[in-house]
Amino acid sequence: MATLHNSACRTLLGSGSAHARLHRGPARRLRRLLVPAVAVAVVLVGVGSPSALAAAIAAGQGRPAGDGLTAEIERINQRLATADEQLQRATIEAEATAEASRAAQADLTAAQSAAAAATAELEAAQAAAAQAQDDVAALGREAFMGSAPLGDAGVLLDAAGPEEVLQRAATMDLLGEDRAARLEASEAVRQRQEELDRAARAAVAERDAAARAAADADAAAGTQLAASQQAYDAAAAEKAVLEQRLKDAETRLLAARGATDPSAAFEQQQRSRLAQASAGAGALVDGRVTSCYGTRWGTNHNGIDIAASIGTPIFAPDGGVVLQAGPANGFGLAVYIQHPDGTITVYGHINQYFVTAGQIVTAGQQIAEVGNRGQSTGPHLHIETHTGGLYQNRVNPAPWLGARGISLGC
């Protein structure tokens, strides 16, 4: 899990987003900045209040300046790394509930179609049954109106001769067979109508159950999102305080190491880190990978999340045809593109889109911009790759993107 986390965090883009800074681990990844914690309590564990942090930094000045500040910076980075992990978990769990909501909505749509088809078939059977009943009634009227006092025997006795008797007998036999067949057909239609009535009732019941499940899933997704968003907002506010303390500590460390303009040196370091981390991913979006594809915290993350500020351009990684663009359950807004090899890419949580269904797009064309819509705890792009049809088989996007020169470190 740590390997996946460290690998995912090699790609950093968009310094203006809420997820805009990348941390380093102990020693080699020292003094890198991370995204905020999901809960303030997580951020503060082992770090202490801002005043305690300042006191610790001040106390460190009694020791060799570099040693004290370096240790403090590393401690802050470790706590921010933990916070980043918690934020990723909140985002993935929110998206998992959104996925459940999308699946429930898909089930509801299928159930509605099945119920409509069953109802239409039942209506056709009812019409056929009504016609069959009319035929039976007509047979009754024919038998009654056409009967003689002696019945069929009288018809035969009234014949002019043996040959006509045989002809009339054959005709009566045929009429009897026809009437029997019509009666049998009427009974078959009635039985079919009863079967379709039961099927229609079952389909309607399934549709109603699917509607309730969809409503429950949507409510659960909304509840999860609200909880995650509240934690995210609190952590973001605390992160701003911690980032400032971290900047102060790093600036002091640079001064202790002889930098003539510590503030300018710090800003240059940040720009250099951002430039290095963003290499290779700009063909898709300028952002930082926060979660890779795979199972984490008991749920499967079906795509890759890339944090970036709202409005950051999203480019098509390959040419293709736009299948859909617009509202999408769980994603808020999304774009779906089918590529020449059959792969379908999905871009979720977008702020706005610039393509329409049926449009042909080329590699590198802007299709949308990063947003924070749907079940989303912060501005980011969620990208998925589907094979065998939309939502049929969701696979890791990294190899497909890598084959097109986009390396996300997953």
Side-chain angles (χ1 to χ4, degrees), residues 275-338:
Q276 291 175 4
S278 63
L284 175 63
V285 64
D286 267 342
R288 179 175 63 85
V289 172
T290 56
S291 297
C292 291
Y293 174 93
T295 302
R296 302 184 70 184
W297 302 295
T299 188
N300 193 60
H301 189 231
N302 293 310
I304 296 175
D305 288 347
I306 305 173
S309 58
I310 292 178
T312 302
I314 300 170
F315 305 100
D318 194 9
V321 179
V322 178
L323 296 181
Q324 302 173 29
N329 184 270
F331 286 141
L333 292 177
V335 171
Y336 302 76
I337 300 176
Q338 186 164 33

Side-chain angles (χ1 to χ4, degrees), residues 171-258:
T171 300
M172 290 173 60
D173 186 52
L174 290 173
L175 289 173
E177 290 179 359
D178 177 65
R179 290 173 182 174
R182 289 164 71 182
L183 288 172
E184 289 178 0
S186 176
E187 177 62 17
V189 169
R190 185 190 64 79
Q191 291 179 356
R192 179 59 176 163
Q193 178 191 0
E194 291 179 353
E195 293 173 359
L196 291 175
D197 182 68
R198 290 191 294 269
R201 291 176 183 274
V204 169
E206 289 180 3
R207 180 200 64 192
D208 293 342
R212 290 191 295 270
D216 291 344
D218 188 60
T223 299
Q224 177 66 47
L225 176 62
S228 297
Q229 192 66 60
Q230 183 178 9
Y232 178 90
D233 291 343
E238 186 64 24
K239 173 189 177 263
V241 175
L242 290 174
E243 278 190 334
Q244 184 59 49
R245 298 297 186 273
L246 186 59
K247 178 180 178 179
D248 292 344
E250 289 210 10
T251 302
R252 290 185 184 183
L253 181 61
L254 289 168
R257 290 177 175 175

Side-chain angles (χ1 to χ4, degrees), residues 27-60:
R28 186 172 59 87
R29 297 187 301 277
L30 186 61
R31 293 175 289 137
R32 296 299 298 272
L33 303 180
L34 293 176
V35 296
V38 171
V40 173
V42 176
V43 178
L44 295 179
V45 172
V47 176
S49 65
S51 59
L53 177 60
I57 294 175

Side-chain angles (χ1 to χ4, degrees), residues 80-99:
L80 287 176
T82 301
D84 186 39
E85 183 101 348
Q86 293 298 324
L87 180 58
Q88 291 178 44
R89 179 171 185 168
T91 301
I92 289 176
E93 288 177 348
E95 288 182 346
T97 58
E99 175 58 30

